[in-house]
Structure formats: structure tokens, C-alpha cells
Amino acid sequence: MLRLNDGVPELAGPCGPEPWYLEVGPDEDPVEVVSRLSANLLGPPLLAHSTSWRRGRGGVILSFIVVIADGQAPDFEGVPIGRAELARNSATEAARSIAAAQVIEHGLRHLSWLAKEDQVVKGVLSDEWKRLLEGYVPEPFQHV
Amino acid sequence: MLISARMGESESGGARILVVRCDCGFEVRGTGDEVVERMQDHARNVHNMTATREQVLDRATSA
Ligand SMILES: [Zn+2]
């Protein structure tokens, strides 16, 4: 869950700086679950986008970036996001252990790509967000 | 299951006070009934998970 605070992207949400894990049942749509719980807990998000996948916790973990408006959900403390090197093993094998920071870094690179390629994302993100994402190398969806 | 597991108990005026902690940092403390209800609410509202009473109590620790 990302929002801008004085031009600095920060991670916010019910789990603060920890990854926010949601369980998705076999009959559920991951995008619907992420959007619904985000809206319930923080108010309607600007966008919710799946950015990568990996194996873990006995299943498949889909990573989502959810962007909320500046100043939205002030009750949830935000943590400024630092830049992290992406975790990679090989082209065919996902990195075994990936720090949340690296997942977020990829998410921001993917968001940078969407901000150029996706008309909906382009329309939703503020100019400040787009300027900030210029600093990230655009990357399509991938497993990390 | 996200909720971490440790078991223990303490006496507080005869009431057994338990603590259950979720991986996300959320923590509840109280009697068995209280921690079960609040952790089930947390699991459902925050993680879209269904936790049984046994699953919550299996992961309780002393206050
Ligand atoms: Zn939790």
C-alpha cells in the first residue's frame, strides 16, 4: 500500500512496514479480494495492480501494489521507501529469499512501466507520482 | 497460517491471560474467549482468513 507524503513514497497499511498478506480462497478473485479489503480498511484505492508472483508459504504469492491518495488513511503510519537492488537468481529460478523492499522496488518499476503504457494508470496517478516514477527503470510483470 | 505459535498462561485474579500475535505485528491479549474473538476478527478483516478457535488458542502465549 503506497502513498505520497511530501513527495516521498511511503509504505502504509494495517501491517505498517511488514508485508500485508491476504489469503485468497480457491473461488475468489485476487484482485477483488485486494480491492475489497483495501477499501474496507483504508478507503477506496486509486489503483490496485498485481506486479509479480513467486512461490512461498505453501502456495503462490501474488504481489500487488495498491496506491492510495496523499493523506488517505492517516491512522496508518507510513514508512518511507528506500531503493533496493532487485533479487534475482537466474532467468528460470525465482530468488529463494526476497526481502519485502525488493518486492516493492520491483512493484515501483512495474508501476513506472504502467504509468507509460496503461491509460487507466496514466489517468489515475498524479503528476507528482509520474515524476517520481521517472526515476525507476520501467519493468513489465514478472516473477521475482 | 500467519499467527505465530507459543503457549503459556498466567494468573490474573483467577483469569488466565493469553497473548496471541500475528506475523503482521498485530497482538491481542485477554481471556481465551477474548483473544479468539479478536484474532478471528483480525484474520477475517485484515487477512481474509478464517481461523478456528483451536488455531488461535494453539498459538497463544502467556501475558
Ligand atoms: Zn495480522
Side-chain angles (χ1 to χ4, degrees):
Chain A
M1 187 83 60
L2 303 176
R3 76 178 162 214
L4 282 185
N5 184 2
D6 280 338
V8 177
E10 61 180 16
L11 185 64
C15 310
E18 301 298 323
W20 178 15
Y21 286 100
L22 304 179
E23 194 166 273
V24 178
D27 299 326
E28 290 182 308
D29 174 1
V31 179
E32 189 278 325
V33 171
V34 169
S35 300
R36 175 165 47 85
L37 269 74
S38 299
N40 287 348
L41 290 166
L42 302 119
L46 294 178
L47 67 90
H49 229 283
S50 182
T51 58
S52 62
W53 69 273
R54 66 189 190 276
R55 295 191 185 281
R57 290 178 179 259
V60 172
I61 299 173
L62 288 172
S63 295
F64 280 78
I65 274 205
V66 176
V67 179
I68 59 175
D70 306 2
Q72 188 175 335
D75 291 348
F76 290 104
E77 201 180 330
V79 182
I81 294 164
R83 301 294 297 267
E85 285 301 307
L86 290 183
R88 296 181 199 277
N89 274 357
S90 69
T92 54
E93 186 187 8
R96 288 181 194 282
S97 174
I98 301 169
Q102 291 160 331
V103 174
I104 294 165
E105 172 80 14
H106 170 70
L108 284 164
R109 292 184 185 187
H110 184 63
L111 199 57
S112 171
W113 184 75
L114 289 169
K116 293 185 192 320
E117 302 290 329
D118 187 301
Q119 292 303 320
V120 174
V121 173
K122 224 185 262 188
V124 158
L125 289 178
S126 67
D127 288 343
E128 194 172 24
W129 259 116
K130 284 177 208 157
R131 265 197 308 277
L132 187 139
L133 291 169
E134 292 279 328
Y136 287 83
V137 180
E139 285 189 348
F141 182 95
Q142 66 176 47
H143 72 123
V144 294
Chain B
M1 211 37 201
L2 291 167
I3 304 161
S4 64
R6 275 185 299 153
M7 190 65 190
E9 63 182 83
S10 68
E11 294 295 326
S12 174
R16 184 181 170 193
I17 301 301
L18 302 173
V19 179
V20 184
R21 188 180 166 85
C22 184
D23 277 2
C24 76
F26 179 79
E27 190 177 277
V28 294
R29 60 182 60 213
T31 63
D33 286 349
E34 287 166 348
V35 296
V36 166
E37 186 182 341
R38 290 175 60 201
M39 194 48 84
Q40 284 178 331
D41 279 351
H42 172 78
R44 182 170 54 250
N45 295 332
V46 175
H47 303 294
N48 197 43
M49 286 171 56
T50 304
T52 66
R53 180 181 181 84
E54 289 67 34
Q55 284 172 323
V56 175
L57 291 178
D58 276 355
R59 295 151 198 278
T61 184
S62 59

